[in-house]
Amino acid sequence: QVDLVESGGGSVQAGGSLRLACAASGYIYCMAWFRQVPGKERERVATFYTASGNTIYADSAKGRFTISQDNSKNMLYLQMNNLKPEDTAMYFCAADSALLRCLDNPRYWGQGTQVTVSS
């Protein structure tokens, strides 16, 4: 069992930045950020593979978002720059020990943190 707790959401104007943080209760091989808007499908934003440091980004996040991890503190971060109104969503931290499942439907989820970007 891995517990995940997100923080750092909020409201910003378009072009602004936010940094999301996720505290994990233990080490796990894969961690990711997803987001969801009510009525729409959940979207994987970025994935971080702990052992290798490899990352995968959604096209919508490339060039603007950076996922990173502090292994010593079991923390995952998502730096979001040049935010757009379409980035408005509930952002979730997720994790799984199975690397492929981590991409689609991770086993562990946080409670989410809201990000709202105004134009």
Side-chain angles (χ1 to χ4, degrees):
Q1 177 69 33
V2 176
D3 296 321
L4 304 170
V5 179
E6 303 98 333
S7 62
S11 297
V12 295
Q13 290 190 328
S17 299
L18 281 174
R19 188 193 195 203
L20 306 183
C22 173
S25 60
Y27 178 91
I28 195 159
Y29 291 122
C30 178
M31 298 185 73
W33 289 99
F34 286 74
R35 66 186 182 186
Q36 189 163 25
V37 177
K40 294 189 177 181
E41 287 189 4
R42 184 176 65 199
E43 177 187 14
R44 175 169 49 84
V45 177
T47 303
F48 191 100
Y49 291 107
T50 303
S52 64
N54 288 339
T55 57
I56 301 174
Y57 291 94
D59 287 343
S60 59
K62 289 178 181 177
R64 299 188 300 125
F65 294 2
T66 302
I67 189 171
S68 62
Q69 191 180 57
D70 183 341
N71 273 345
S72 65
K73 300 178 181 179
N74 291 328
M75 295 292 295
L76 182 74
Y77 302 99
L78 185 69
Q79 177 67 43
M80 304 186 293
N81 297 327
N82 191 23
L83 283 161
K84 304 175 182 180
E86 51 263 42
D87 294 318
T88 296
M90 183 72 77
Y91 284 71
F92 296 90
C93 177
D96 204 308
S97 56
L99 303 186
L100 289 180
R101 191 170 61 200
C102 188
L103 291 174
D104 182 48
N105 190 24
R107 181 175 182 181
Y108 305 109
W109 292 84
Q111 81 287 351
T113 185
Q114 178 68 35
V115 171
T116 302
V117 184
S118 58
S119 58

